[in-house]
Amino acid sequence: MNRFITLRLLSTKAERFVPKTGVYPKGYIVGGIHCGVKKDGKSLDLAIVHNTFGKNASAAAVFTKNKFKAAPVQVSQQIIKETKGAGINSIVVNSGNANAVTGAQGMKDAKDMTLVTDSVLGNKPSSTLVMSTGVIGNNLPIDKILSGIPKLALSHLGNTHQDWTNCATAICTTDTFPKLLSKQFTIDNDTYTLAGLCKGAGMICPNMATLLGFFVTDAPVSPSALQSILKHSVDRSFNSITVDGDMSTNDTIAAIANGAAGGELINLNASSGDRFLAIQKEITEFAQQLAQLVVRDGEGATKFITIKVKDSLSYDDAKSIASSVANSSLFKTAMYGKDANWGRILCAIGYAQVSSGDSVLPSKTSVKFVPVDGSSSLDLLVNGEPEKVDEERASKILEDEDLVIEIDLGTGGGQSADFWTCDLSHEYVTINGDYRS
């Protein structure tokens, strides 16, 4: 079967994560169409987001640290560098082909996608970021994409909920559902709107952003402030999830702020202090909700697992320990098998990369399962001493789709970090064994 024909079957389970309505920021039009990258003749595979409020929107982006950076990553990085994030008004995305490890032709194709988008939408040059996702190592059917961009830009962009849903659907590959969120918030009596979408279900492992995604707001934010906010929020959201431990060549998260809702410009200087912190908090919480949808849609996943590390010497130590557990194949398969094998958790804590010998003290470490139904937690290890585990209760807790694992390091440092992961199932192997067939 062709993995990029359509979304994987949208199950009843997945349907509950797809919004039926939304509230969207002022001054943006978006949409998605089928242009011919996906071979079934109908699945949406080309998306555009465009700012219509003036031509001076702020933009920010974070990119994969994979050494084999895809052509669109390299092109978008250069555009952000040249413009310093000022005057970026559009994003163009194709799905079904990653345009990664495609040499000089791939670079030309990525640049042409930005040039045609800028021209059709009336942007000045270097006003469009480009993203691609799909199979690595194949050249784009660039003629289909370049002819599809004018069709999409001139006839299929809007600001309705359906337009946003089409846009979110058009960037999907192995996802079972389009990942789209929106919300409104108020800062100093000014009401702003935030909308975001992302794609991802496999090749999800943080070292920047883990997938493709972008969010836009009508709040007034300077490029430097937006870059700072984006990095902070991504570190605590898209950089705090894992599905399978594989980092993609194409990972990109971008943000655009056009200021269409008015209000005082939010900058990095002291005068913006409270407003800066307020919008950073809103965007971070929003990014966490969006990133968690990726884990819930993990390829073959049956569980959504939150790992909470408490009382660490530093945030970095807490995050490293949480990541170590979240990426352990032995831990993830135990969760799939509903096996309360807490030794696998301790093993992953023990080999985590931490800052000092005092970062993990076995005699002070405690681990527990925390049910999401509000019932009492189940202690597995308390101050380094194993508890007599009620295996029947443990199995019952592990029957649930959602699970929280709390790790208390007992260092007295008081720092904490959350991480989100899923289990590793037979279905994951089936999906990825079939990836190109």
Side-chain angles (χ1 to χ4, degrees):
M1 67 182 211
N2 189 314
R3 295 292 312 292
F4 297 111
I5 287 179
T6 187
L7 299 180
R8 287 185 284 136
L9 181 63
L10 183 64
S11 65
T12 302
K13 171 185 167 182
E15 283 179 348
R16 74 182 190 270
F17 301 119
V18 181
K20 301 296 189 293
T21 61
V23 54
Y24 298 104
K26 300 174 182 177
Y28 293 97
I29 52 175
V30 305
I33 62 167
H34 172 78
C35 74
V37 183
K38 295 176 182 175
K39 297 176 181 179
D40 66 339
K42 62 181 180 181
S43 294
L44 306 185
D45 53 18
L46 183 66
I48 286 176
V49 174
H50 178 57
N51 163 47
T52 61
F53 182 75
K55 296 296 179 183
N56 295 307
S58 300
V62 288
F63 302 95
T64 184
K65 293 183 179 179
N66 193 305
K67 289 181 172 59
F68 287 94
K69 290 179 174 61
V73 170
Q74 296 180 60
V75 170
S76 292
Q77 280 183 311
Q78 186 61 33
I79 290 171
I80 288 287
K81 181 179 178 180
E82 289 176 355
T83 64
K84 294 184 172 64
I88 304 295
N89 292 292
S90 306
I91 302 172
V92 60
V93 189
N94 78 270
S95 60
N97 184 310
N99 192 15
V101 198
T102 46
Q105 183 62 49
M107 290 294 292
K108 181 180 184 302
D109 291 345
K111 290 176 182 176
D112 285 348
M113 287 176 66
T114 69
L115 290 171
V116 171
T117 304
D118 282 336
S119 175
V120 171
L121 291 173
N123 294 335
K124 64 182 181 181
S126 298
S127 294
T128 295
L129 302 180
V130 58
M131 304 179 188
S132 297
T133 181
V135 174
I136 295 170
N138 295 339
N139 287 117
L140 290 173
I142 192 61
D143 290 342
K144 293 179 180 179
I145 293 173
L146 296 183
S147 61
I149 289 171
K151 177 183 175 183
L152 171 57
L154 298 176
S155 304
H156 294 83
L157 298 183
N159 196 35
T160 68
H161 178 66
Q162 188 60 55
D163 293 321
W164 282 92
T165 301
N166 289 345
C167 189
T169 303
I171 69 173
C172 291
T173 52
T174 62
D175 309 63
T176 67
F177 62 91
K179 299 164 181 68
L180 170 65
L181 290 175
S182 62
K183 74 170 184 178
Q184 285 190 329
F185 57 95
T186 300
I187 299 176
D188 292 343
N189 298 317
D190 294 316
T191 298
Y192 300 119
T193 308
L194 184 61
L197 50 94
C198 65
K199 63 81 51 184
M203 287 192 82
I204 304 298
C205 181
N207 202 352
M208 75 93 233
T210 71
L211 70 176
L212 297 188
F214 40 92
F215 34 90
V216 299
T217 182
D218 49 21
V221 189
S222 72
S224 59
L226 190 62
Q227 186 67 47
S228 177
I229 289 168
L230 184 65
K231 184 181 185 307
H232 177 92
S233 65
V234 164
D235 283 346
R236 289 156 179 79
S237 59
F238 294 104
N239 260 356
S240 293
I241 63 173
T242 185
V243 169
D244 50 18
D246 271 314
M247 185 205 312
S248 172
T249 55
N250 290 58
D251 301 337
T252 304
I253 297 290
I256 296 178
N258 66 5
E264 180 185 344
L265 180 68
I266 298 170
N267 215 321
L268 280 174
N269 56 38
S271 64
S272 293
D274 290 344
R275 289 171 62 81
F276 175 89
L277 292 175
I279 195 169
Q280 178 174 266
K281 179 177 181 292
E282 295 288 351
I283 289 177
T284 299
E285 292 175 352
F286 183 81
Q288 288 174 341
Q289 294 171 18
L290 199 55
Q292 288 171 28
L293 293 178
V294 176
V295 177
R296 289 195 178 277
D297 199 25
E299 290 174 343
T302 68
K303 294 194 181 307
F304 176 81
I305 305 164
T306 301
I307 299 174
K308 290 181 170 290
V309 176
K310 300 171 57 178
D311 202 14
S312 173
L313 288 179
S314 69
Y315 169 76
D316 288 343
D317 278 352
K319 186 174 178 182
S320 179
I321 290 165
S323 174
S324 183
V325 176
N327 279 299
S328 166
S329 295
L330 287 175
F331 163 72
K332 290 160 73 68
T333 51
M335 294 300 95
Y336 174 66
K338 305 179 182 63
D339 179 10
N341 189 345
W342 52 267
R344 294 180 174 181
I345 300 173
L346 290 188
C347 181
I349 295 171
Y351 61 65
Q353 298 298 306
V354 292
S355 60
S356 76
D358 293 329
S359 297
V360 177
L361 301 173
S363 63
K364 294 185 177 180
T365 301
S366 301
V367 179
K368 65 175 67 173
F369 287 161
V370 182
V372 297
D373 63 5
S375 60
S376 60
S377 59
L378 178 65
D379 289 327
L380 306 173
L381 186 79
V382 177
N383 293 325
E385 293 291 331
E387 296 293 294
K388 183 174 177 55
V389 176
D390 182 341
E391 295 290 346
E392 184 176 345
R393 174 129 197 273
S395 296
K396 186 175 186 304
I397 291 172
L398 291 175
E399 288 286 342
D400 291 338
E401 178 185 346
D402 286 28
L403 172 68
V404 176
I405 294 174
E406 184 179 294
I407 300 166
D408 190 333
L409 298 175
T411 68
Q415 299 298 304
S416 62
D418 293 348
F419 216 92
W420 299 276
T421 189
C422 58
D423 55 351
L424 193 59
S425 69
H426 302 290
E427 181 65 14
Y428 177 86
V429 178
T430 300
I431 291 170
N432 283 282
D434 228 7
Y435 192 71
R436 296 198 308 163
S437 60

